């Protein structure tokens, strides 16, 4: 089965879970990336249940708009019923690396505001130890070199994602060579570097479940 089909399967499984939520009208956080996009393309099926969505990127907001799904401001809605998004890596504790699409900061904000975070990914994203995927860090542009030097002190090799400006007007450093045994500690440590806006470790707010597309069907990872 190709990767695209696996993504479509997990997107469909996520839609089923969202449709099964008890509220009549739903406020949903919507992620960014090719797997999230598979999910977004299914949303018209439950359009009558969607009161509002909050998008994690301009790209996603545009697609939602094209599909006629209402998109609002996080400040104007309360707690989100669910957040649905992909990931670049997940471990079995449901800690994630995200930010391959440079949307990590808004993704982390929307995830934080959600009751339930449903992560969707093809099976290749499951790892024993996080870090083979270079860890994205969103940085204030003038702090780029300083932050890069500080990241080297933490044992990583940061590479500037040249030509990429985030929706927040910042730049991305991708940190190679990390083997992340304690994601919670590293997430906090990187956030302490002056000039860092956000890092792509989702350990303080991990997923609540990860739906993984595999050749044998959709596997569900849950905490514990
Ligand atoms: C964007 C993300 C994406 O969720 C992540 O990169 C996975 O993308 P895809 O579903 O295309 O593999 O974090 O910032």
């Amino acid at each position: 089965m190709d990767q695209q089909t696996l993504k479509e399967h997990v997107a469909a499984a996520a839609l089923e879970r969202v449709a099964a939520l008890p509220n009549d009208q739903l406020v949903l956080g919507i992620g960014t990336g090719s797997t999230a996009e598979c999910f977004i393309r299914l949303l018209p099926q439950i359009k009558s249940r969607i009161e509002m969505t909050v998008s994690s990127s301009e790209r996603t907001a545009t697609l939602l708009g094209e599909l006629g799904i209402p998109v609002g401001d996080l400040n104007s809605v309360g707690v989100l019923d669910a957040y649905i998004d992909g990931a670049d890596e997940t471990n079995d504790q449901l800690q994630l690396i995200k930010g391959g699409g440079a949307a990590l900061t808004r993704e982390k904000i929307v995830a934080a505001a959600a009751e339930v975070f449903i992560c969707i990914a093809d099976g290749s994203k499951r790892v024993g130890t996080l870090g083979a995927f270079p860890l994205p860090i969103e940085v204030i542009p003038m702090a780029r070199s300083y932050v890069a030097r500080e990241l080297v002190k933490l044992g990583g090799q940061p590479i500037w994602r040249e030509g990429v400006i985030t929706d927040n007007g910042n730049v991305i450093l991708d940190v190679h060579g990390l083997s992340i045994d304690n994601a919670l500690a590293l997430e906090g440590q990187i956030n302490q570097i002056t000039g860092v806006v956000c890092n792509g470790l989702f350990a303080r707010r991990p997923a609540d479940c990860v739906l993984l597309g595999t050749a044998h069907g959709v596997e569900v990872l849950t905490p514990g």
Side-chain angles (χ1 to χ4, degrees):
M1 213 178 290
D2 65 23
Q3 219 180 9
Q4 179 61 25
T5 308
L6 297 177
K7 289 177 186 182
E8 284 163 8
H9 285 177
V10 286
L15 190 80
E16 263 180 47
R17 284 185 173 236
V18 169
L21 290 170
N23 295 4
D24 222 26
Q25 286 293 292
L26 299 169
V27 182
L28 301 175
I30 310 291
T32 298
S34 57
T35 318
E37 189 171 322
C38 291
F39 176 77
I40 294 166
R41 293 198 179 281
L42 299 176
L43 280 176
Q45 294 179 24
I46 58 161
K47 201 167 166 176
S48 62
R49 298 265 320 274
I50 300 174
E51 179 182 327
M52 190 55 70
T53 64
V54 173
S55 172
S56 63
S57 67
E58 299 300 332
R59 174 178 149 195
T60 288
T62 301
L63 180 57
L64 287 164
E66 282 167 10
L67 294 169
I69 307 287
V71 186
D73 177 356
L74 182 60
N75 294 306
S76 311
V77 298
V79 175
L80 306 175
D81 293 302
Y83 176 53
I84 304 89
D85 196 3
D88 299 299
E89 282 186 350
T90 178
N91 63 18
D92 286 355
Q93 289 74 52
L94 315 191
Q95 298 170 324
L96 313 171
I97 286 184
K98 292 184 46 53
L104 60 154
T105 301
R106 294 190 187 190
E107 291 173 339
K108 204 176 267 198
I109 294 168
V110 181
E115 291 270 2
V116 178
F117 177 6
I118 302 170
C119 179
I120 49 178
D122 68 79
S124 69
K125 306 289 181 72
R126 185 182 189 178
V127 297
T129 304
L130 297 171
F133 187 92
L135 178 65
I137 319 273
E138 180 164 352
V139 177
I140 300 286
M142 73 170 285
R144 192 188 77 234
S145 298
Y146 166 72
V147 170
R149 290 194 294 276
E150 293 299 303
L151 291 167
V152 169
K153 290 183 195 164
L154 293 180
Q157 293 127 38
I159 306 279
W160 175 27
R161 208 184 291 180
E162 278 192 75
V164 171
I165 299 291
T166 70
D167 287 343
N168 313 307
N170 299 313
V171 297
I172 298 284
L173 294 172
D174 291 308
V175 188
H176 296 247
L178 295 173
S179 176
I180 304 170
D181 293 321
N182 188 340
L184 197 57
L186 187 63
E187 182 177 0
Q189 218 173 348
I190 294 173
N191 283 342
Q192 293 306 313
I193 302 171
T194 304
V196 167
V197 175
C198 184
N199 71 78
L201 279 171
F202 282 56
R204 273 191 73 182
R205 202 295 177 234
D208 296 302
C209 72
V210 177
L211 308 181
L212 281 177
T214 76
H216 315 290
V218 174
E219 264 183 53
V220 182
L221 304 183
T222 51

